[in-house]
PDB file of all heavy atoms in Angstrom:
ATOM      1  N   LYS A   2       8.871   4.714  16.670  1.00 96.00           N
ATOM      2  CA  LYS A   2       8.263   4.034  15.523  1.00 96.00           C
ATOM      3  C   LYS A   2       6.764   3.941  15.800  1.00 96.00           C
ATOM      4  O   LYS A   2       6.372   3.563  16.910  1.00 96.00           O
ATOM      5  CB  LYS A   2       8.835   2.626  15.364  1.00 96.00           C
ATOM      6  CG  LYS A   2      10.334   2.572  15.165  1.00 96.00           C
ATOM      7  CD  LYS A   2      10.845   1.141  15.267  1.00 96.00           C
ATOM      8  CE  LYS A   2      12.362   1.115  15.240  1.00 96.00           C
ATOM      9  NZ  LYS A   2      12.911  -0.223  15.531  1.00 96.00           N
ATOM     10  N   LYS A   3       5.967   4.257  14.813  1.00 97.00           N
ATOM     11  CA  LYS A   3       4.512   4.219  15.014  1.00 97.00           C
ATOM     12  C   LYS A   3       3.835   3.727  13.746  1.00 97.00           C
ATOM     13  O   LYS A   3       4.154   4.192  12.639  1.00 97.00           O
ATOM     14  CB  LYS A   3       4.012   5.618  15.364  1.00 97.00           C
ATOM     15  CG  LYS A   3       2.527   5.698  15.683  1.00 97.00           C
ATOM     16  CD  LYS A   3       2.187   7.108  16.149  1.00 97.00           C
ATOM     17  CE  LYS A   3       0.709   7.290  16.364  1.00 97.00           C
ATOM     18  NZ  LYS A   3       0.403   8.675  16.798  1.00 97.00           N
ATOM     19  N   ILE A   4       2.925   2.768  13.924  1.00 98.00           N
ATOM     20  CA  ILE A   4       2.191   2.198  12.789  1.00 98.00           C
ATOM     21  C   ILE A   4       0.701   2.235  13.125  1.00 98.00           C
ATOM     22  O   ILE A   4       0.312   1.795  14.212  1.00 98.00           O
ATOM     23  CB  ILE A   4       2.599   0.730  12.542  1.00 98.00           C
ATOM     24  CG1 ILE A   4       4.095   0.622  12.259  1.00 98.00           C
ATOM     25  CG2 ILE A   4       1.781   0.127  11.408  1.00 98.00           C
ATOM     26  CD1 ILE A   4       4.642  -0.778  12.428  1.00 98.00           C
ATOM     27  N   LEU A   5      -0.087   2.734  12.217  1.00 98.00           N
ATOM     28  CA  LEU A   5      -1.539   2.731  12.412  1.00 98.00           C
ATOM     29  C   LEU A   5      -2.227   2.283  11.130  1.00 98.00           C
ATOM     30  O   LEU A   5      -1.844   2.715  10.038  1.00 98.00           O
ATOM     31  CB  LEU A   5      -2.054   4.125  12.768  1.00 98.00           C
ATOM     32  CG  LEU A   5      -1.733   4.698  14.144  1.00 98.00           C
ATOM     33  CD1 LEU A   5      -2.232   6.149  14.211  1.00 98.00           C
ATOM     34  CD2 LEU A   5      -2.368   3.877  15.246  1.00 98.00           C
ATOM     35  N   LEU A   6      -3.218   1.403  11.275  1.00 98.00           N
ATOM     36  CA  LEU A   6      -4.150   1.129  10.181  1.00 98.00           C
ATOM     37  C   LEU A   6      -5.478   1.684  10.647  1.00 98.00           C
ATOM     38  O   LEU A   6      -5.963   1.292  11.708  1.00 98.00           O
ATOM     39  CB  LEU A   6      -4.294  -0.375   9.938  1.00 98.00           C
ATOM     40  CG  LEU A   6      -3.130  -1.117   9.302  1.00 98.00           C
ATOM     41  CD1 LEU A   6      -3.509  -2.572   9.090  1.00 98.00           C
ATOM     42  CD2 LEU A   6      -2.733  -0.490   7.991  1.00 98.00           C
ATOM     43  N   GLN A   7      -6.044   2.598   9.906  1.00 98.00           N
ATOM     44  CA  GLN A   7      -7.260   3.240  10.406  1.00 98.00           C
ATOM     45  C   GLN A   7      -8.260   3.524   9.307  1.00 98.00           C
ATOM     46  O   GLN A   7      -7.899   3.712   8.139  1.00 98.00           O
ATOM     47  CB  GLN A   7      -6.911   4.539  11.138  1.00 98.00           C
ATOM     48  CG  GLN A   7      -6.307   5.617  10.255  1.00 98.00           C
ATOM     49  CD  GLN A   7      -5.946   6.869  11.034  1.00 98.00           C
ATOM     50  OE1 GLN A   7      -5.285   6.793  12.074  1.00 98.00           O
ATOM     51  NE2 GLN A   7      -6.418   8.018  10.554  1.00 98.00           N
ATOM     52  N   LYS A   8      -9.539   3.534   9.708  1.00 98.00           N
ATOM     53  CA  LYS A   8     -10.615   3.819   8.761  1.00 98.00           C
ATOM     54  C   LYS A   8     -10.795   5.329   8.589  1.00 98.00           C
ATOM     55  O   LYS A   8     -11.182   5.797   7.518  1.00 98.00           O
ATOM     56  CB  LYS A   8     -11.919   3.184   9.285  1.00 98.00           C
ATOM     57  CG  LYS A   8     -13.024   3.106   8.272  1.00 98.00           C
ATOM     58  CD  LYS A   8     -14.164   2.240   8.772  1.00 98.00           C
ATOM     59  CE  LYS A   8     -15.207   2.064   7.683  1.00 98.00           C
ATOM     60  NZ  LYS A   8     -16.330   1.226   8.130  1.00 98.00           N
ATOM     61  N   GLU A   9     -10.504   6.070   9.634  1.00 97.00           N
ATOM     62  CA  GLU A   9     -10.728   7.517   9.639  1.00 97.00           C
ATOM     63  C   GLU A   9      -9.697   8.230   8.760  1.00 97.00           C
ATOM     64  O   GLU A   9      -8.608   7.718   8.510  1.00 97.00           O
ATOM     65  CB  GLU A   9     -10.607   8.068  11.066  1.00 97.00           C
ATOM     66  CG  GLU A   9     -11.532   7.422  12.084  1.00 97.00           C
ATOM     67  CD  GLU A   9     -11.079   6.042  12.508  1.00 97.00           C
ATOM     68  OE1 GLU A   9      -9.861   5.772  12.467  1.00 97.00           O
ATOM     69  OE2 GLU A   9     -11.940   5.206  12.857  1.00 97.00           O
ATOM     70  N   GLN A  10     -10.049   9.449   8.355  1.00 97.00           N
ATOM     71  CA  GLN A  10      -9.092  10.264   7.617  1.00 97.00           C
ATOM     72  C   GLN A  10      -7.849  10.512   8.467  1.00 97.00           C
ATOM     73  O   GLN A  10      -7.915  10.566   9.707  1.00 97.00           O
ATOM     74  CB  GLN A  10      -9.715  11.613   7.242  1.00 97.00           C
ATOM     75  CG  GLN A  10     -10.659  11.515   6.053  1.00 97.00           C
ATOM     76  CD  GLN A  10     -10.959  12.886   5.469  1.00 97.00           C
ATOM     77  OE1 GLN A  10     -10.064  13.683   5.245  1.00 97.00           O
ATOM     78  NE2 GLN A  10     -12.230  13.150   5.225  1.00 97.00           N
ATOM     79  N   ILE A  11      -6.717  10.689   7.793  1.00 97.00           N
ATOM     80  CA  ILE A  11      -5.444  10.860   8.506  1.00 97.00           C
ATOM     81  C   ILE A  11      -5.252  12.338   8.854  1.00 97.00           C
ATOM     82  O   ILE A  11      -5.411  13.206   7.990  1.00 97.00           O
ATOM     83  CB  ILE A  11      -4.270  10.364   7.634  1.00 97.00           C
ATOM     84  CG1 ILE A  11      -4.446   8.867   7.343  1.00 97.00           C
ATOM     85  CG2 ILE A  11      -2.932  10.635   8.326  1.00 97.00           C
ATOM     86  CD1 ILE A  11      -3.500   8.331   6.276  1.00 97.00           C
ATOM     87  N   ASP A  12      -4.908  12.589  10.105  1.00 95.00           N
ATOM     88  CA  ASP A  12      -4.602  13.948  10.557  1.00 95.00           C
ATOM     89  C   ASP A  12      -3.129  14.220  10.213  1.00 95.00           C
ATOM     90  O   ASP A  12      -2.222  13.860  10.971  1.00 95.00           O
ATOM     91  CB  ASP A  12      -4.854  14.067  12.066  1.00 95.00           C
ATOM     92  CG  ASP A  12      -4.689  15.500  12.562  1.00 95.00           C
ATOM     93  OD1 ASP A  12      -3.987  16.295  11.897  1.00 95.00           O
ATOM     94  OD2 ASP A  12      -5.265  15.803  13.623  1.00 95.00           O
ATOM     95  N   ILE A  13      -2.909  14.808   9.043  1.00 93.00           N
ATOM     96  CA  ILE A  13      -1.554  14.970   8.511  1.00 93.00           C
ATOM     97  C   ILE A  13      -0.721  15.916   9.376  1.00 93.00           C
ATOM     98  O   ILE A  13       0.444  15.631   9.684  1.00 93.00           O
ATOM     99  CB  ILE A  13      -1.626  15.457   7.045  1.00 93.00           C
ATOM    100  CG1 ILE A  13      -2.219  14.335   6.179  1.00 93.00           C
ATOM    101  CG2 ILE A  13      -0.252  15.854   6.531  1.00 93.00           C
ATOM    102  CD1 ILE A  13      -2.574  14.757   4.779  1.00 93.00           C
ATOM    103  N   GLU A  14      -1.317  17.002   9.814  1.00 93.00           N
ATOM    104  CA  GLU A  14      -0.579  17.982  10.630  1.00 93.00           C
ATOM    105  C   GLU A  14      -0.112  17.341  11.939  1.00 93.00           C
ATOM    106  O   GLU A  14       1.023  17.553  12.382  1.00 93.00           O
ATOM    107  CB  GLU A  14      -1.477  19.188  10.900  1.00 93.00           C
ATOM    108  CG  GLU A  14      -0.702  20.375  11.446  1.00 93.00           C
ATOM    109  CD  GLU A  14      -1.582  21.606  11.587  1.00 93.00           C
ATOM    110  OE1 GLU A  14      -2.627  21.685  10.932  1.00 93.00           O
ATOM    111  OE2 GLU A  14      -1.190  22.470  12.380  1.00 93.00           O
ATOM    112  N   LYS A  15      -0.988  16.539  12.527  1.00 94.00           N
ATOM    113  CA  LYS A  15      -0.629  15.864  13.785  1.00 94.00           C
ATOM    114  C   LYS A  15       0.555  14.930  13.561  1.00 94.00           C
ATOM    115  O   LYS A  15       1.493  14.894  14.363  1.00 94.00           O
ATOM    116  CB  LYS A  15      -1.841  15.072  14.310  1.00 94.00           C
ATOM    117  CG  LYS A  15      -1.594  14.418  15.657  1.00 94.00           C
ATOM    118  CD  LYS A  15      -2.811  13.626  16.104  1.00 94.00           C
ATOM    119  CE  LYS A  15      -2.461  12.853  17.373  1.00 94.00           C
ATOM    120  NZ  LYS A  15      -3.340  11.704  17.564  1.00 94.00           N
TER     121      LYS A  15
END
Side-chain angles (χ1 to χ4, degrees):
Chain A
K2 301 170 187 172
K3 184 174 175 181
I4 301 162
L5 289 174
L6 288 183
Q7 65 181 50
K8 194 169 185 180
E9 304 75 28
Q10 282 196 47
I11 298 169
D12 186 337
I13 293 170
E14 194 175 339
K15 184 181 173 203

